[in-house]
Short mmCIF file of all heavy atoms in Angstrom, two decimals:
data_model
loop_
_atom_site.label_atom_id
_atom_site.label_comp_id
_atom_site.label_asym_id
_atom_site.label_seq_id
_atom_site.Cartn_x
_atom_site.Cartn_y
_atom_site.Cartn_z
N GLU A 173 103.17 105.09 96.34
CA GLU A 173 102.55 105.05 94.98
C GLU A 173 102.58 106.39 94.35
O GLU A 173 102.86 106.55 93.10
CB GLU A 173 101.14 104.44 95.13
CG GLU A 173 101.08 103.01 95.50
CD GLU A 173 99.67 102.47 95.62
OE1 GLU A 173 98.75 103.18 95.26
OE2 GLU A 173 99.50 101.32 96.13
N GLN A 174 102.26 107.43 95.13
CA GLN A 174 102.24 108.78 94.52
C GLN A 174 103.66 109.14 94.08
O GLN A 174 103.78 109.84 93.06
CB GLN A 174 101.76 109.80 95.57
CG GLN A 174 100.32 109.71 95.96
CD GLN A 174 99.93 110.63 97.09
OE1 GLN A 174 100.44 111.73 97.21
NE2 GLN A 174 99.03 110.20 97.99
N ALA A 175 104.65 108.67 94.80
CA ALA A 175 106.04 108.99 94.40
C ALA A 175 106.60 108.03 93.32
O ALA A 175 107.69 108.20 92.84
CB ALA A 175 106.96 108.90 95.66
N GLY A 176 105.80 107.08 92.91
CA GLY A 176 106.18 106.16 91.89
C GLY A 176 107.13 105.01 92.35
O GLY A 176 107.74 104.33 91.55
N ILE A 177 107.25 104.88 93.67
CA ILE A 177 108.16 103.85 94.23
C ILE A 177 107.44 102.51 94.16
O ILE A 177 108.04 101.44 93.79
CB ILE A 177 108.56 104.21 95.64
CG1 ILE A 177 109.28 105.53 95.71
CG2 ILE A 177 109.39 103.02 96.30
CD1 ILE A 177 109.41 106.15 97.04
N LEU A 178 106.18 102.46 94.52
CA LEU A 178 105.33 101.25 94.36
C LEU A 178 104.47 101.47 93.11
O LEU A 178 103.93 102.55 92.89
CB LEU A 178 104.47 101.03 95.60
CG LEU A 178 105.18 100.72 96.91
CD1 LEU A 178 104.15 100.44 97.97
CD2 LEU A 178 106.14 99.53 96.73
N GLN A 179 104.39 100.45 92.31
CA GLN A 179 103.57 100.54 91.07
C GLN A 179 102.71 99.30 90.93
O GLN A 179 103.08 98.34 90.27
CB GLN A 179 104.52 100.63 89.88
CG GLN A 179 105.43 101.86 89.95
CD GLN A 179 106.47 101.94 88.84
OE1 GLN A 179 106.14 101.80 87.69
NE2 GLN A 179 107.73 102.08 89.24
N PRO A 180 101.54 99.34 91.60
CA PRO A 180 100.68 98.16 91.61
C PRO A 180 100.33 97.66 90.21
O PRO A 180 100.16 96.44 90.02
CB PRO A 180 99.39 98.64 92.34
CG PRO A 180 99.90 99.82 93.19
CD PRO A 180 101.00 100.46 92.35
N LYS A 181 100.22 98.58 89.24
CA LYS A 181 99.84 98.12 87.91
C LYS A 181 100.89 97.18 87.26
O LYS A 181 100.59 96.46 86.38
CB LYS A 181 99.57 99.33 87.02
CG LYS A 181 98.33 100.11 87.46
CD LYS A 181 98.06 101.31 86.53
CE LYS A 181 96.80 102.02 86.97
NZ LYS A 181 96.57 103.24 86.11
N VAL A 182 102.16 97.38 87.72
CA VAL A 182 103.20 96.49 87.10
C VAL A 182 103.67 95.49 88.17
O VAL A 182 104.70 94.89 88.04
CB VAL A 182 104.38 97.37 86.64
CG1 VAL A 182 103.96 98.17 85.45
CG2 VAL A 182 104.98 98.17 87.73
N GLY A 183 102.88 95.36 89.26
CA GLY A 183 103.16 94.33 90.24
C GLY A 183 104.15 94.60 91.36
O GLY A 183 104.61 93.74 92.06
N ILE A 184 104.50 95.93 91.48
CA ILE A 184 105.40 96.30 92.60
C ILE A 184 104.56 96.74 93.82
O ILE A 184 104.08 97.90 93.87
CB ILE A 184 106.40 97.36 92.14
CG1 ILE A 184 107.20 96.93 90.92
CG2 ILE A 184 107.33 97.70 93.29
CD1 ILE A 184 108.05 98.02 90.36
N HIS A 185 104.35 95.85 94.73
CA HIS A 185 103.41 96.11 95.84
C HIS A 185 104.19 96.41 97.15
O HIS A 185 103.63 97.07 98.02
CB HIS A 185 102.52 94.93 96.07
CG HIS A 185 101.61 94.61 94.95
ND1 HIS A 185 100.47 95.40 94.66
CD2 HIS A 185 101.63 93.70 94.00
CE1 HIS A 185 99.85 94.93 93.56
NE2 HIS A 185 100.55 93.89 93.10
N GLU A 186 105.39 95.92 97.25
CA GLU A 186 106.10 96.05 98.48
C GLU A 186 107.53 96.65 98.25
O GLU A 186 108.04 96.61 97.08
CB GLU A 186 106.25 94.68 99.18
CG GLU A 186 104.88 94.05 99.54
CD GLU A 186 104.04 94.85 100.50
OE1 GLU A 186 104.63 95.71 101.19
OE2 GLU A 186 102.82 94.63 100.53
N TRP A 187 108.10 97.06 99.31
CA TRP A 187 109.39 97.76 99.18
C TRP A 187 110.31 97.24 100.28
O TRP A 187 109.89 97.00 101.47
CB TRP A 187 109.14 99.27 99.39
CG TRP A 187 110.38 100.11 99.69
CD1 TRP A 187 111.27 100.54 98.80
CD2 TRP A 187 110.76 100.60 100.99
NE1 TRP A 187 112.23 101.29 99.43
CE2 TRP A 187 111.99 101.31 100.81
CE3 TRP A 187 110.27 100.47 102.25
CZ2 TRP A 187 112.63 101.94 101.82
CZ3 TRP A 187 110.92 101.06 103.33
CH2 TRP A 187 112.10 101.84 103.08
N GLN A 188 111.62 97.00 99.94
CA GLN A 188 112.55 96.52 100.94
C GLN A 188 113.95 97.00 100.56
O GLN A 188 114.56 96.50 99.62
CB GLN A 188 112.56 94.97 100.96
CG GLN A 188 113.61 94.37 102.00
CD GLN A 188 113.43 94.91 103.38
OE1 GLN A 188 112.45 94.57 104.06
NE2 GLN A 188 114.35 95.73 103.85
N PRO A 189 114.46 98.01 101.28
CA PRO A 189 115.82 98.47 101.03
C PRO A 189 116.87 97.44 101.52
O PRO A 189 116.66 96.73 102.51
CB PRO A 189 115.88 99.78 101.85
CG PRO A 189 114.97 99.54 102.98
CD PRO A 189 113.84 98.74 102.43
N ARG A 190 117.96 97.34 100.80
CA ARG A 190 119.00 96.37 101.13
C ARG A 190 120.20 97.04 101.78
O ARG A 190 121.19 96.35 102.18
CB ARG A 190 119.48 95.68 99.85
CG ARG A 190 118.34 95.00 99.06
CD ARG A 190 117.89 93.76 99.80
NE ARG A 190 116.65 93.23 99.17
CZ ARG A 190 116.01 92.18 99.60
NH1 ARG A 190 116.41 91.51 100.70
NH2 ARG A 190 114.89 91.75 99.00
#
Side-chain angles (χ1 to χ4, degrees):
E173 289 179 11
Q174 291 175 36
I177 300 164
L178 295 183
Q179 301 174 50
K181 291 182 180 178
V182 295
I184 303 175
H185 298 283
E186 301 297 341
W187 165 81
Q188 177 58 68
R190 304 288 172 182

